[in-house]
Amino acid sequence: MTKTKIANIPYGPYVAVLAGACVNEKPNYAAIGAYGVVSQKPVLYISLKNSHYTTAGVIENGFFSVNIPSSDEIEKTDYCGTVTGNKVDKSNVFQSFYDEAGNAPMIKECPVNYLCKVIQTIPIFDFTMFLGEIVAAYADESCLKNKRPDAAKVKPTILMDSGYFDINNRVGSIFKACSGNK
């Protein structure tokens, strides 16, 4: 296989998520690809541009939500990534719900939701990375298999370069692909 050197930019793939925060007492959501697992502890991170409306809400309240939309919700997800809460009220794009553990909205239409309490912030260029301890997690019952979210049922959206993609088939099991177990 021949390799070609390409530009030093992150092309992906990334799971598309909607970060949620209360801003001026209203739910606001931003579509992001900068999200992930920090360690084996229940901690996630999101990285938001400092000028984003959602960033102000995370700073103000100390909580954020991570909502994993299915690929069926791509139009609403993309909308939340292309319009700013600084100019457009996005509080009615989705139905919001809350957990008593913290002040951040979660999205009913998303199959998986995490409520996170900010435990650390890291400034990076013109972004802020928020590390958040998961204080509550929700999943649609229809997307569970053995009491865990099933990727084929959740149907997450993958971002890569300038496109959105869904997933179709399981091709292996974590830490077992080399052994032939799927």
Side-chain angles (χ1 to χ4, degrees), residues 62-77:
F63 287 89
F64 62 87
S65 66
V66 172
N67 304 276
I68 302 176
S70 75
S71 54
D72 297 335
E73 295 288 344
I74 193 58
E75 288 181 24
K76 288 181 178 181
T77 301

Side-chain angles (χ1 to χ4, degrees), residues 100-113:
E100 66 276 357
N103 188 19
M106 291 176 277
I107 300 172
K108 284 186 180 181
E109 294 90 335
C110 290
V112 179
N113 316 89

Side-chain angles (χ1 to χ4, degrees), residues 159-182:
L159 291 89
M160 187 147 184
D161 195 19
S162 61
Y164 293 112
F165 304 89
D166 63 4
I167 62 170
N168 290 310
N169 299 302
R170 183 181 184 116
V171 296
S173 296
I174 297 172
F175 303 127
K176 295 181 182 176
C178 291
S179 68
N181 295 330
K182 293 183 184 177

